[in-house]
């Protein structure tokens, strides 16, 4: 058998091996380095999402396509958009520029990871589905 290093095993002294990673047994009965899997990968720390960004405590959904702005008013630069049927993580709401649409006028804006969206464009009432206590 060829002598090659394995990332799952370390030799401490002659004849002593230490397992450093999970091993999988193949049908032939030989062990192979399984490496990290979804089942063994550590969960991110509390408050951090799987993508490495901050975990959003709320989810909002638009009832129409709407612009996401870099701040809580239409005068801020466009930072993206939200679309119906595509839930987005949200952190809090704040007052900003007034937006009129869908039969109402409101100055409530919901903060997403990528910017702010007017609550006028979101499902769930005056705070876009967030609780009244979730102020920024």
């Amino acid at each position: 058998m060829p002598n090659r290093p394995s990332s799952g095993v370390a030799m401490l002294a002659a004849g002593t091996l230490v397992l450093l990673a999970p091993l999988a047994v193949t049908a032939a009965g030989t062990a192979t380095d399984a490496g990290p899997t979804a089942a063994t990968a550590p969960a991110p720390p509390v408050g951090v999402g799987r993508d490495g960004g901050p975990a959003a405590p709320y989810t909002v959904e638009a009832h129409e396509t709407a612009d996401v702005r870099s701040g809580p008013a239409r005068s801020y630069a466009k930072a993206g958009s939200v679309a119906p049927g595509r839930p987005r993580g949200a952190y809090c709401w704040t007052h900003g520029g007034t937006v009129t649409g869908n039969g109402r006028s409101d100055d409530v804006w919901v903060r997403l990871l990528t910017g702010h969206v007017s609550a006028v464009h979101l499902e769930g009432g005056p705070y876009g589905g967030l609780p009244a206590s979730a102020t920024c």
Side-chain angles (χ1 to χ4, degrees):
M1 172 159 57
N3 186 7
R4 63 184 183 97
S6 171
S7 62
V9 180
M11 182 178 266
L12 295 178
T16 306
L17 299 176
V18 177
L19 180 63
L20 299 176
L23 295 178
V25 178
T26 65
T30 59
T32 60
D33 182 0
T37 65
T40 61
V46 173
V48 177
R50 287 247 177 236
D51 63 356
Y58 306 104
T59 301
V60 296
E61 190 169 331
H63 53 77
E64 64 185 359
T65 301
D67 291 339
V68 173
R69 301 287 179 167
S70 61
R74 284 187 169 163
S75 58
Y76 286 89
K78 184 177 174 184
S81 63
V82 294
R86 306 222 30 204
R88 301 283 295 268
Y91 300 96
C92 57
W93 66 268
T94 189
H95 292 284
T98 300
V99 174
T100 301
N102 302 310
R104 68 182 190 144
S105 231
D106 206 333
D107 70 344
V108 173
W109 290 74
V110 174
R111 186 168 68 87
L112 311 174
L113 180 61
T114 56
H116 293 77
V117 64
S118 171
V120 165
H121 304 295
L122 301 175
E123 301 286 345
Y127 306 108
L130 276 61
S133 61
T135 56
C136 297

